[in-house]
Amino acid sequence: MIISAIITTIFLLPVLLLIVAGKGDNLIAGYNTASAEERARYNMKRLRGLVVASMIVVMIASWLPLIVGATRNGAFLITLPVTLVAAFVTIILANTWAKRG
C-alpha cells in the first residue's frame, strides 16, 4: 500500500511542479490537442490552479488509507471515490470556471 502511494507521488509531483511553473501546459489533457483558437478561450491561471489542486487531491487520496490505517480492501474504498470525485469536479470546473467569460 505504501509503495503505490510513493509511486503516485513520484509520478505526479514533477508534473505538478511543471504545471505550477507554467512550463507544463502541454501536459494538461485536452489542452495539448486543442487548436490555438480553443486554447485562447481558457484562463490559463485558473486552469493551471484547477489541475494542480486536482493532482494534490489525488496524491492525498493515495496516502489517505495509510493515514487512517485502512486495510487493503479499505484502501480501495477510500482512494477510488475521492479520485473519481476529483476527476468529475475537475472536468466540470475546467469547462465552466476556467473558461474566459
Coordinates of all heavy atoms in Angstrom, one line a residue:
M1 N 0.8 -1.2 0.0 CA 0.0 0.0 0.0 C 0.9 1.3 0.0 O 0.6 2.2 -0.7 CB -0.9 0.0 1.2 CG -2.1 0.8 1.0 SD -3.4 0.7 2.3 CE -2.9 -0.5 3.4
I2 N 1.9 1.2 0.8 CA 2.8 2.4 0.8 C 3.5 2.6 -0.5 O 3.8 3.7 -0.9 CB 3.8 2.4 2.0 CG1 4.4 3.7 2.2 CG2 4.8 1.3 1.8 CD1 5.1 3.9 3.5
I3 N 3.8 1.5 -1.2 CA 4.5 1.5 -2.4 C 3.7 2.3 -3.5 O 4.2 3.1 -4.2 CB 4.9 0.1 -2.9 CG1 6.0 -0.4 -2.0 CG2 5.5 0.2 -4.3 CD1 6.3 -1.9 -2.2
S4 N 2.4 2.0 -3.5 CA 1.5 2.6 -4.5 C 1.4 4.1 -4.2 O 1.4 5.0 -5.1 CB 0.1 2.0 -4.5 OG -0.5 2.2 -3.3
A5 N 1.4 4.5 -2.9 CA 1.3 6.0 -2.6 C 2.6 6.6 -3.0 O 2.6 7.8 -3.5 CB 1.1 6.1 -1.1
I6 N 3.8 6.0 -2.8 CA 5.1 6.6 -3.2 C 5.2 6.7 -4.7 O 5.6 7.7 -5.2 CB 6.2 5.7 -2.6 CG1 6.3 5.8 -1.1 CG2 7.5 6.1 -3.2 CD1 7.2 4.9 -0.4
I7 N 4.7 5.7 -5.4 CA 4.8 5.7 -6.9 C 3.9 6.8 -7.4 O 4.3 7.6 -8.3 CB 4.4 4.4 -7.5 CG1 5.5 3.3 -7.2 CG2 4.2 4.4 -9.0 CD1 5.2 1.9 -7.5
T8 N 2.7 7.0 -6.9 CA 1.8 8.0 -7.3 C 2.4 9.4 -7.1 O 2.4 10.2 -7.9 CB 0.4 7.9 -6.5 OG1 -0.1 6.6 -6.7 CG2 -0.5 9.0 -6.9
T9 N 3.0 9.6 -5.9 CA 3.7 10.8 -5.6 C 4.9 11.1 -6.5 O 5.0 12.2 -7.0 CB 4.1 10.9 -4.1 OG1 3.0 10.6 -3.3 CG2 4.7 12.2 -3.8
I10 N 5.6 10.1 -6.8 CA 6.8 10.2 -7.7 C 6.4 10.6 -9.1 O 7.1 11.4 -9.7 CB 7.6 8.9 -7.7 CG1 8.4 8.8 -6.3 CG2 8.6 8.9 -8.8 CD1 9.1 7.4 -6.2
F11 N 5.3 10.1 -9.6 CA 4.8 10.5 -10.9 C 4.1 11.8 -11.0 O 4.3 12.6 -11.9 CB 3.9 9.4 -11.5 CG 4.7 8.2 -12.0 CD1 4.6 7.0 -11.4 CD2 5.5 8.3 -13.1 CE1 5.3 5.9 -11.8 CE2 6.2 7.2 -13.6 CZ 6.1 6.0 -12.9
L12 N 3.3 12.1 -10.0 CA 2.5 13.3 -10.0 C 3.3 14.6 -9.6 O 3.0 15.7 -10.1 CB 1.3 13.2 -9.2 CG 0.2 12.3 -9.7 CD1 -1.0 12.2 -8.7 CD2 -0.2 12.6 -11.1
L13 N 4.2 14.5 -8.7 CA 4.9 15.7 -8.2 C 5.7 16.4 -9.2 O 5.5 17.7 -9.3 CB 5.8 15.3 -7.0 CG 6.3 16.5 -6.1 CD1 5.1 17.2 -5.6 CD2 7.1 15.9 -5.0
P14 N 6.5 15.8 -10.1 CA 7.2 16.5 -11.1 C 6.2 17.2 -12.1 O 6.5 18.3 -12.5 CB 8.1 15.5 -11.8 CG 8.2 14.4 -10.9 CD 6.9 14.4 -10.1
V15 N 5.2 16.5 -12.5 CA 4.2 17.1 -13.4 C 3.5 18.3 -12.7 O 3.3 19.3 -13.4 CB 3.1 16.0 -13.8 CG1 2.0 16.6 -14.6 CG2 3.8 14.9 -14.6
L16 N 3.2 18.2 -11.5 CA 2.6 19.2 -10.7 C 3.5 20.5 -10.7 O 3.1 21.6 -11.0 CB 2.3 18.8 -9.3 CG 1.5 19.7 -8.4 CD1 0.6 18.9 -7.5 CD2 2.5 20.4 -7.5
L17 N 4.8 20.2 -10.5 CA 5.7 21.3 -10.4 C 5.9 22.0 -11.8 O 6.0 23.2 -11.9 CB 7.1 20.8 -9.9 CG 7.0 20.4 -8.4 CD1 8.4 19.8 -8.0 CD2 6.7 21.5 -7.5
L18 N 5.9 21.2 -12.8 CA 6.0 21.8 -14.2 C 4.8 22.7 -14.5 O 4.9 23.7 -15.1 CB 6.1 20.7 -15.2 CG 7.5 20.0 -15.4 CD1 7.4 18.8 -16.3 CD2 8.5 21.1 -15.9
I19 N 3.6 22.2 -14.1 CA 2.4 23.0 -14.4 C 2.4 24.3 -13.6 O 2.0 25.3 -14.1 CB 1.1 22.1 -14.1 CG1 1.1 21.0 -15.2 CG2 -0.1 23.0 -14.2 CD1 0.0 20.0 -15.0
V20 N 2.8 24.2 -12.3 CA 2.9 25.4 -11.5 C 3.8 26.4 -12.0 O 3.6 27.6 -12.0 CB 3.3 25.0 -10.0 CG1 3.7 26.2 -9.2 CG2 2.1 24.3 -9.3
A21 N 4.9 25.9 -12.6 CA 5.9 26.8 -13.2 C 5.5 27.4 -14.5 O 6.2 28.3 -15.1 CB 7.3 26.1 -13.3
G22 N 4.4 26.9 -15.1 CA 3.9 27.4 -16.4 C 4.6 26.7 -17.5 O 4.4 27.2 -18.7
K23 N 5.4 25.7 -17.3 CA 6.1 25.0 -18.4 C 5.4 23.7 -18.8 O 5.8 23.1 -19.8 CB 7.5 24.6 -17.9 CG 8.3 25.8 -17.4 CD 8.7 26.7 -18.5 CE 9.6 27.8 -18.0 NZ 9.9 28.9 -18.9
G24 N 4.3 23.3 -18.1 CA 3.7 22.0 -18.4 C 2.3 22.1 -19.0 O 1.5 21.2 -18.8
D25 N 2.0 23.2 -19.7 CA 0.6 23.4 -20.2 C 0.3 22.2 -21.2 O -0.9 21.8 -21.2 CB 0.5 24.7 -20.9 CG 0.5 25.9 -19.9 OD1 0.4 25.6 -18.7 OD2 0.7 27.0 -20.3
N26 N 1.3 21.7 -21.9 CA 1.0 20.7 -22.8 C 0.8 19.3 -22.1 O 0.5 18.3 -22.8 CB 2.1 20.5 -23.9 CG 2.1 21.7 -24.9 OD1 1.0 22.2 -25.2 ND2 3.2 22.0 -25.4
L27 N 1.0 19.3 -20.8 CA 0.7 18.0 -20.1 C -0.7 18.0 -19.6 O -1.2 16.9 -19.1 CB 1.7 17.9 -18.9 CG 3.1 17.9 -19.2 CD1 4.0 17.9 -18.0 CD2 3.4 16.6 -20.0
I28 N -1.5 19.0 -19.8 CA -2.9 19.1 -19.4 C -3.7 18.4 -20.5 O -3.7 18.8 -21.6 CB -3.4 20.5 -19.1 CG1 -2.6 21.1 -18.0 CG2 -4.9 20.5 -18.8 CD1 -2.9 22.6 -17.8
A29 N -4.4 17.3 -20.1 CA -5.2 16.6 -21.1 C -6.2 17.5 -21.8 O -6.9 18.2 -21.1 CB -5.9 15.4 -20.4
G30 N -6.3 17.4 -23.1 CA -7.3 18.1 -23.8 C -6.8 19.5 -24.3 O -7.0 19.9 -25.4
Y31 N -6.0 20.1 -23.4 CA -5.4 21.4 -23.8 C -4.3 21.2 -24.8 O -4.1 22.0 -25.7 CB -4.9 22.1 -22.5 CG -4.4 23.5 -22.8 CD1 -5.3 24.6 -22.9 CD2 -3.0 23.8 -22.9 CE1 -4.8 25.8 -23.2 CE2 -2.6 25.0 -23.2 CZ -3.5 26.1 -23.3 OH -3.0 27.3 -23.6
N32 N -3.6 20.1 -24.6 CA -2.5 19.8 -25.5 C -2.9 19.6 -27.0 O -2.1 19.8 -27.9 CB -1.6 18.7 -25.0 CG -2.4 17.4 -24.8 OD1 -3.6 17.4 -25.0 ND2 -1.7 16.3 -24.6
T33 N -4.1 19.1 -27.2 CA -4.6 18.8 -28.5 C -5.5 19.9 -29.1 O -5.9 19.8 -30.2 CB -5.3 17.5 -28.6 OG1 -6.4 17.5 -27.7 CG2 -4.4 16.3 -28.2
A34 N -5.8 20.9 -28.3 CA -6.7 22.0 -28.7 C -6.0 22.9 -29.7 O -4.8 23.1 -29.7 CB -7.1 22.8 -27.5
S35 N -6.8 23.5 -30.6 CA -6.3 24.5 -31.6 C -6.0 25.8 -30.8 O -6.4 26.0 -29.7 CB -7.3 24.7 -32.7 OG -8.4 25.4 -32.1
A36 N -5.2 26.7 -31.5 CA -4.9 27.9 -30.9 C -6.1 28.7 -30.5 O -6.2 29.4 -29.5 CB -4.0 28.7 -31.8
E37 N -7.2 28.6 -31.3 CA -8.4 29.3 -31.1 C -9.1 28.8 -29.8 O -9.6 29.5 -29.0 CB -9.4 29.1 -32.3 CG -10.7 29.8 -32.2 CD -11.6 29.5 -33.4 OE1 -11.2 30.0 -34.5 OE2 -12.6 28.9 -33.2
E38 N -9.1 27.5 -29.7 CA -9.7 26.8 -28.5 C -8.9 27.2 -27.2 O -9.4 27.4 -26.2 CB -9.8 25.3 -28.7 CG -10.9 24.9 -29.7 CD -10.8 23.4 -30.0 OE1 -9.7 22.8 -29.8 OE2 -11.9 22.9 -30.3
R39 N -7.6 27.2 -27.4 CA -6.7 27.5 -26.2 C -6.9 28.9 -25.7 O -6.8 29.2 -24.5 CB -5.2 27.3 -26.6 CG -4.8 25.9 -26.7 CD -3.4 25.8 -27.1 NE -3.0 24.4 -27.3 CZ -1.8 23.9 -27.3 NH1 -0.8 24.8 -27.1 NH2 -1.5 22.7 -27.4
A40 N -7.2 29.8 -26.6 CA -7.5 31.2 -26.3 C -8.7 31.4 -25.4 O -8.9 32.4 -24.7 CB -7.6 32.1 -27.5
R41 N -9.6 30.4 -25.4 CA -10.8 30.5 -24.6 C -10.7 30.2 -23.2 O -11.6 30.3 -22.4 CB -11.9 29.6 -25.2 CG -12.4 30.0 -26.6 CD -13.6 29.3 -27.0 NE -13.2 27.9 -27.4 CZ -14.0 27.0 -27.8 NH1 -15.3 27.3 -28.0 NH2 -13.6 25.8 -28.2
Y42 N -9.5 29.7 -22.8 CA -9.2 29.3 -21.4 C -8.4 30.4 -20.6 O -7.5 31.0 -21.2 CB -8.5 28.0 -21.3 CG -9.5 26.8 -21.6 CD1 -9.6 26.4 -22.9 CD2 -10.2 26.3 -20.6 CE1 -10.4 25.3 -23.2 CE2 -11.1 25.2 -20.9 CZ -11.2 24.8 -22.2 OH -12.1 23.8 -22.5
N43 N -8.7 30.6 -19.4 CA -7.9 31.4 -18.5 C -6.9 30.4 -17.9 O -7.2 29.6 -17.1 CB -8.8 31.9 -17.4 CG -8.1 32.8 -16.4 OD1 -6.9 32.7 -16.2 ND2 -8.8 33.7 -15.7
M44 N -5.6 30.5 -18.4 CA -4.6 29.6 -18.0 C -4.3 29.6 -16.6 O -4.0 28.6 -16.0 CB -3.3 29.8 -18.9 CG -3.4 29.2 -20.2 SD -4.0 27.5 -20.2 CE -2.8 26.7 -19.3
K45 N -4.3 30.7 -15.9 CA -4.0 30.8 -14.5 C -5.0 29.9 -13.7 O -4.7 29.2 -12.8 CB -4.1 32.2 -14.0 CG -3.6 32.4 -12.6 CD -3.5 33.9 -12.2 CE -3.0 34.0 -10.8 NZ -2.9 35.4 -10.4
R46 N -6.3 30.0 -14.1 CA -7.3 29.3 -13.4 C -7.2 27.8 -13.8 O -7.4 26.9 -12.9 CB -8.7 29.7 -13.8 CG -9.1 31.0 -13.1 CD -10.5 31.3 -13.5 NE -11.0 32.5 -12.7 CZ -12.2 33.0 -12.8 NH1 -13.1 32.4 -13.6 NH2 -12.6 34.0 -12.1
L47 N -7.0 27.5 -15.0 CA -6.8 26.1 -15.4 C -5.7 25.4 -14.8 O -5.8 24.3 -14.3 CB -6.7 26.0 -17.0 CG -6.8 24.6 -17.6 CD1 -8.1 23.9 -17.2 CD2 -6.6 24.6 -19.1
R48 N -4.5 26.1 -14.7 CA -3.4 25.5 -14.0 C -3.7 25.3 -12.6 O -3.4 24.2 -12.0 CB -2.2 26.5 -14.1 CG -1.5 26.5 -15.4 CD -0.3 27.4 -15.4 NE 0.2 27.7 -16.8 CZ 0.3 28.9 -17.3 NH1 0.1 29.9 -16.5 NH2 0.7 29.0 -18.5
G49 N -4.3 26.2 -11.9 CA -4.6 26.1 -10.5 C -5.6 24.9 -10.2 O -5.4 24.2 -9.3
L50 N -6.5 24.8 -11.1 CA -7.5 23.7 -11.0 C -6.8 22.3 -11.2 O -7.1 21.4 -10.4 CB -8.6 23.9 -12.1 CG -9.7 22.8 -12.2 CD1 -10.5 22.8 -10.9 CD2 -10.6 23.1 -13.3
V51 N -6.0 22.2 -12.2 CA -5.3 20.9 -12.4 C -4.4 20.6 -11.3 O -4.3 19.5 -10.8 CB -4.6 21.0 -13.8 CG1 -3.7 19.8 -13.9 CG2 -5.6 21.1 -14.9
V52 N -3.7 21.6 -10.8 CA -2.7 21.4 -9.6 C -3.5 21.0 -8.4 O -3.1 20.0 -7.7 CB -1.9 22.6 -9.4 CG1 -1.2 22.6 -8.0 CG2 -0.9 22.8 -10.5
A53 N -4.6 21.6 -8.1 CA -5.5 21.3 -7.0 C -6.0 19.8 -7.1 O -6.0 19.1 -6.1 CB -6.6 22.2 -6.8
S54 N -6.4 19.5 -8.3 CA -6.9 18.1 -8.5 C -5.8 17.1 -8.3 O -6.0 16.0 -7.7 CB -7.4 18.0 -9.9 OG -7.9 16.7 -10.2
M55 N -4.6 17.4 -8.8 CA -3.5 16.5 -8.6 C -3.1 16.3 -7.1 O -2.7 15.2 -6.6 CB -2.3 16.9 -9.4 CG -2.5 16.8 -10.9 SD -1.2 17.5 -11.9 CE 0.0 16.2 -11.8
I56 N -3.2 17.4 -6.4 CA -2.9 17.4 -4.9 C -3.9 16.5 -4.2 O -3.6 15.7 -3.4 CB -2.8 18.8 -4.3 CG1 -1.6 19.5 -4.8 CG2 -2.9 18.8 -2.8 CD1 -1.5 21.0 -4.5
V57 N -5.2 16.6 -4.6 CA -6.3 15.8 -4.0 C -6.0 14.3 -4.3 O -6.1 13.5 -3.4 CB -7.6 16.2 -4.6 CG1 -8.7 15.2 -4.2 CG2 -8.0 17.6 -4.0
V58 N -5.6 14.0 -5.5 CA -5.3 12.6 -5.9 C -4.1 12.1 -5.1 O -4.1 10.9 -4.6 CB -5.1 12.4 -7.4 CG1 -4.5 11.0 -7.7 CG2 -6.4 12.7 -8.1
M59 N -3.1 12.9 -4.9 CA -1.9 12.5 -4.1 C -2.3 12.2 -2.6 O -1.9 11.3 -2.0 CB -0.8 13.5 -4.2 CG 0.0 13.4 -5.4 SD 1.6 14.3 -5.4 CE 1.1 16.0 -5.2
I60 N -3.1 13.1 -2.1 CA -3.6 13.0 -0.7 C -4.4 11.7 -0.6 O -4.3 10.9 0.4 CB -4.3 14.2 -0.2 CG1 -3.3 15.4 -0.1 CG2 -5.1 13.9 1.1 CD1 -4.0 16.7 0.2
A61 N -5.3 11.5 -1.6 CA -6.1 10.3 -1.6 C -5.3 9.0 -1.6 O -5.7 8.0 -1.1 CB -7.1 10.3 -2.8
S62 N -4.1 9.0 -2.3 CA -3.3 7.8 -2.3 C -2.6 7.6 -1.0 O -2.3 6.5 -0.6 CB -2.2 7.9 -3.4 OG -1.3 8.9 -3.1
W63 N -2.4 8.6 -0.2 CA -1.8 8.5 1.2 C -2.9 8.3 2.3 O -2.6 7.9 3.4 CB -1.0 9.7 1.5 CG 0.3 9.7 0.7 CD1 0.6 10.4 -0.4 CD2 1.5 9.0 1.1 NE1 1.9 10.1 -0.8 CE2 2.5 9.3 0.1 CE3 1.9 8.2 2.1 CZ2 3.7 8.8 0.1 CZ3 3.2 7.7 2.1 CH2 4.1 8.0 1.1
L64 N -4.1 8.7 2.0 CA -5.2 8.6 3.0 C -5.4 7.3 3.6 O -5.5 7.2 4.9 CB -6.5 9.1 2.4 CG -7.6 9.6 3.3 CD1 -7.1 10.7 4.2 CD2 -8.8 10.0 2.5
P65 N -5.4 6.2 2.9 CA -5.5 4.9 3.6 C -4.4 4.6 4.6 O -4.7 4.0 5.6 CB -5.5 3.8 2.4 CG -5.9 4.6 1.2 CD -5.4 6.0 1.5
L66 N -3.2 5.0 4.3 CA -2.1 4.8 5.3 C -2.3 5.7 6.5 O -2.0 5.3 7.6 CB -0.8 5.2 4.6 CG -0.4 4.3 3.4 CD1 0.8 4.8 2.7 CD2 -0.1 2.9 3.9
I67 N -2.9 6.9 6.3 CA -3.1 7.8 7.4 C -4.1 7.3 8.4 O -4.0 7.3 9.6 CB -3.4 9.2 6.9 CG1 -2.2 9.8 6.1 CG2 -3.8 10.1 8.0 CD1 -2.5 11.0 5.4
V68 N -5.2 6.8 7.8 CA -6.3 6.3 8.6 C -6.2 4.8 9.0 O -7.0 4.3 9.8 CB -7.7 6.5 7.9 CG1 -8.0 8.0 7.7 CG2 -7.8 5.7 6.7
G69 N -5.2 4.1 8.5 CA -4.9 2.8 8.9 C -5.9 1.8 8.3 O -6.2 0.8 8.9
A70 N -6.3 2.0 7.1 CA -7.2 1.1 6.4 C -6.5 -0.2 5.9 O -5.3 -0.2 5.7 CB -7.9 1.8 5.2
T71 N -7.3 -1.2 5.8 CA -6.7 -2.5 5.3 C -6.6 -2.4 3.8 O -7.0 -1.4 3.2 CB -7.6 -3.7 5.7 OG1 -8.9 -3.5 5.1 CG2 -7.8 -3.8 7.2
R72 N -6.1 -3.4 3.1 CA -6.0 -3.4 1.7 C -7.3 -3.1 1.0 O -7.4 -2.4 0.1 CB -5.4 -4.7 1.2 CG -4.0 -4.8 1.4 CD -3.4 -6.1 0.9 NE -2.0 -6.1 1.2 CZ -1.1 -6.5 0.4 NH1 -1.4 -7.0 -0.8 NH2 0.2 -6.5 0.7
N73 N -8.4 -3.8 1.4 CA -9.7 -3.6 0.8 C -10.2 -2.2 1.1 O -10.9 -1.6 0.3 CB -10.7 -4.7 1.2 CG -10.3 -6.1 0.8 OD1 -9.6 -6.2 -0.3 ND2 -10.7 -7.1 1.5
G74 N -10.0 -1.8 2.3 CA -10.4 -0.4 2.7 C -9.7 0.7 2.0 O -10.3 1.7 1.7
A75 N -8.5 0.4 1.6 CA -7.8 1.4 0.8 C -8.4 1.7 -0.5 O -8.6 2.9 -0.9 CB -6.3 0.9 0.6
F76 N -8.9 0.7 -1.2 CA -9.6 0.9 -2.4 C -10.9 1.6 -2.2 O -11.2 2.5 -3.1 CB -9.8 -0.5 -3.1 CG -10.5 -0.4 -4.4 CD1 -9.8 0.0 -5.5 CD2 -11.8 -0.8 -4.6 CE1 -10.4 0.0 -6.8 CE2 -12.4 -0.7 -5.8 CZ -11.7 -0.3 -6.9
L77 N -11.6 1.4 -1.2 CA -12.8 2.0 -0.9 C -12.7 3.5 -0.5 O -13.6 4.3 -0.6 CB -13.6 1.3 0.2 CG -14.0 -0.1 -0.1 CD1 -14.7 -0.8 1.1 CD2 -15.0 -0.1 -1.3
I78 N -11.5 3.9 -0.1 CA -11.2 5.3 0.3 C -10.7 6.0 -1.0 O -11.2 7.1 -1.3 CB -10.2 5.4 1.4 CG1 -10.8 4.8 2.7 CG2 -9.8 6.8 1.6 CD1 -9.8 4.6 3.8
T79 N -9.7 5.4 -1.6 CA -9.0 6.1 -2.7 C -9.9 6.3 -3.9 O -9.9 7.4 -4.5 CB -7.7 5.4 -3.0 OG1 -6.9 5.2 -1.9 CG2 -6.9 6.1 -4.1
L80 N -10.6 5.3 -4.4 CA -11.3 5.4 -5.6 C -12.4 6.5 -5.6 O -12.4 7.3 -6.5 CB -11.9 4.0 -5.9 CG -12.7 4.0 -7.3 CD1 -11.8 4.2 -8.4 CD2 -13.4 2.6 -7.4
P81 N -13.3 6.5 -4.6 CA -14.3 7.6 -4.6 C -13.7 9.0 -4.6 O -14.2 9.9 -5.3 CB -15.1 7.3 -3.4 CG -14.8 6.0 -3.0 CD -13.5 5.6 -3.4
V82 N -12.7 9.2 -3.8 CA -12.0 10.5 -3.7 C -11.4 10.9 -5.1 O -11.6 12.0 -5.6 CB -10.9 10.6 -2.6 CG1 -10.2 11.9 -2.7 CG2 -11.6 10.4 -1.3
T83 N -10.8 10.0 -5.7 CA -10.2 10.2 -7.1 C -11.3 10.5 -8.1 O -11.1 11.4 -8.9 CB -9.3 9.0 -7.5 OG1 -8.3 8.8 -6.5 CG2 -8.6 9.3 -8.8
L84 N -12.3 9.7 -8.1 CA -13.4 9.9 -9.1 C -14.1 11.3 -8.9 O -14.4 12.0 -9.9 CB -14.4 8.8 -9.0 CG -14.0 7.4 -9.5 CD1 -15.1 6.4 -9.3 CD2 -13.7 7.5 -11.0
V85 N -14.3 11.6 -7.6 CA -15.0 12.9 -7.4 C -14.0 14.1 -7.8 O -14.5 15.0 -8.5 CB -15.3 13.1 -5.9 CG1 -15.7 14.5 -5.5 CG2 -16.5 12.2 -5.5
A86 N -12.7 13.9 -7.6 CA -11.8 14.9 -8.0 C -11.8 15.0 -9.6 O -11.7 16.2 -10.1 CB -10.4 14.6 -7.5
A87 N -11.9 13.9 -10.2 CA -11.9 13.9 -11.7 C -13.1 14.6 -12.2 O -13.1 15.5 -13.1 CB -11.8 12.5 -12.2
F88 N -14.3 14.3 -11.7 CA -15.6 14.9 -12.1 C -15.6 16.4 -11.9 O -16.0 17.2 -12.7 CB -16.8 14.2 -11.5 CG -17.0 12.8 -12.1 CD1 -17.2 11.8 -11.2 CD2 -17.1 12.6 -13.4 CE1 -17.5 10.5 -11.7 CE2 -17.3 11.3 -13.9 CZ -17.5 10.3 -13.1
V89 N -15.2 16.8 -10.7 CA -15.1 18.2 -10.3 C -14.2 19.0 -11.3 O -14.5 20.1 -11.7 CB -14.8 18.4 -8.9 CG1 -14.5 19.9 -8.5 CG2 -15.9 17.9 -8.0
T90 N -13.0 18.4 -11.5 CA -12.1 19.0 -12.4 C -12.6 19.2 -13.8 O -12.5 20.2 -14.4 CB -10.8 18.2 -12.5 OG1 -10.2 18.1 -11.2 CG2 -9.7 18.8 -13.4
I91 N -13.3 18.2 -14.3 CA -13.9 18.3 -15.7 C -15.0 19.4 -15.7 O -15.0 20.2 -16.7 CB -14.5 16.9 -16.1 CG1 -13.4 15.9 -16.3 CG2 -15.4 17.0 -17.3 CD1 -13.9 14.5 -16.5
I92 N -15.8 19.4 -14.8 CA -16.9 20.4 -14.7 C -16.3 21.8 -14.6 O -16.7 22.7 -15.4 CB -17.9 20.1 -13.6 CG1 -18.6 18.8 -13.9 CG2 -18.8 21.3 -13.4 CD1 -19.4 18.3 -12.8
L93 N -15.4 22.0 -13.7 CA -14.8 23.3 -13.5 C -13.9 23.8 -14.6 O -13.9 25.0 -15.0 CB -14.0 23.4 -12.2 CG -14.9 23.3 -10.9 CD1 -14.0 23.3 -9.7 CD2 -15.9 24.5 -10.8
A94 N -13.3 22.8 -15.3 CA -12.4 23.2 -16.4 C -13.3 23.7 -17.6 O -12.8 24.5 -18.4 CB -11.6 22.0 -16.9
N95 N -14.5 23.2 -17.7 CA -15.4 23.6 -18.8 C -16.3 24.8 -18.4 O -17.1 25.2 -19.2 CB -16.2 22.4 -19.3 CG -15.3 21.5 -20.1 OD1 -14.7 21.9 -21.0 ND2 -15.2 20.3 -19.6
T96 N -16.2 25.2 -17.2 CA -17.1 26.4 -16.8 C -16.2 27.5 -16.2 O -16.0 28.5 -16.8 CB -18.1 25.9 -15.7 OG1 -17.5 25.3 -14.6 CG2 -19.1 25.0 -16.4
W97 N -15.7 27.2 -15.0 CA -14.9 28.3 -14.2 C -13.6 28.7 -14.9 O -13.2 29.9 -14.9 CB -14.7 27.7 -12.8 CG -13.9 28.6 -11.9 CD1 -14.4 29.8 -11.4 CD2 -12.6 28.5 -11.5 NE1 -13.5 30.4 -10.6 CE2 -12.3 29.6 -10.6 CE3 -11.6 27.6 -11.7 CZ2 -11.1 29.8 -10.0 CZ3 -10.4 27.7 -11.1 CH2 -10.1 28.8 -10.2
A98 N -12.9 27.8 -15.6 CA -11.6 28.1 -16.1 C -11.7 28.7 -17.5 O -10.7 29.1 -18.1 CB -10.7 26.8 -16.2
K99 N -12.9 28.8 -18.1 CA -13.1 29.4 -19.4 C -13.3 30.9 -19.3 O -13.8 31.4 -18.3 CB -14.3 28.8 -20.2 CG -14.0 27.4 -20.8 CD -15.0 27.1 -21.8 CE -14.6 25.8 -22.5 NZ -15.6 25.4 -23.5
R100 N -12.8 31.6 -20.3 CA -12.9 33.0 -20.3 C -14.4 33.4 -20.6 O -15.0 32.8 -21.4 CB -12.0 33.7 -21.3 CG -10.6 33.5 -20.9 CD -9.7 34.1 -21.9 NE -8.3 33.7 -21.6 CZ -7.3 34.5 -21.5 NH1 -7.4 35.7 -21.7 NH2 -6.1 34.0 -21.2
G101 N -14.9 34.3 -19.8 CA -16.3 34.6 -19.9 C -16.7 35.6 -21.0 O -17.7 35.9 -21.4

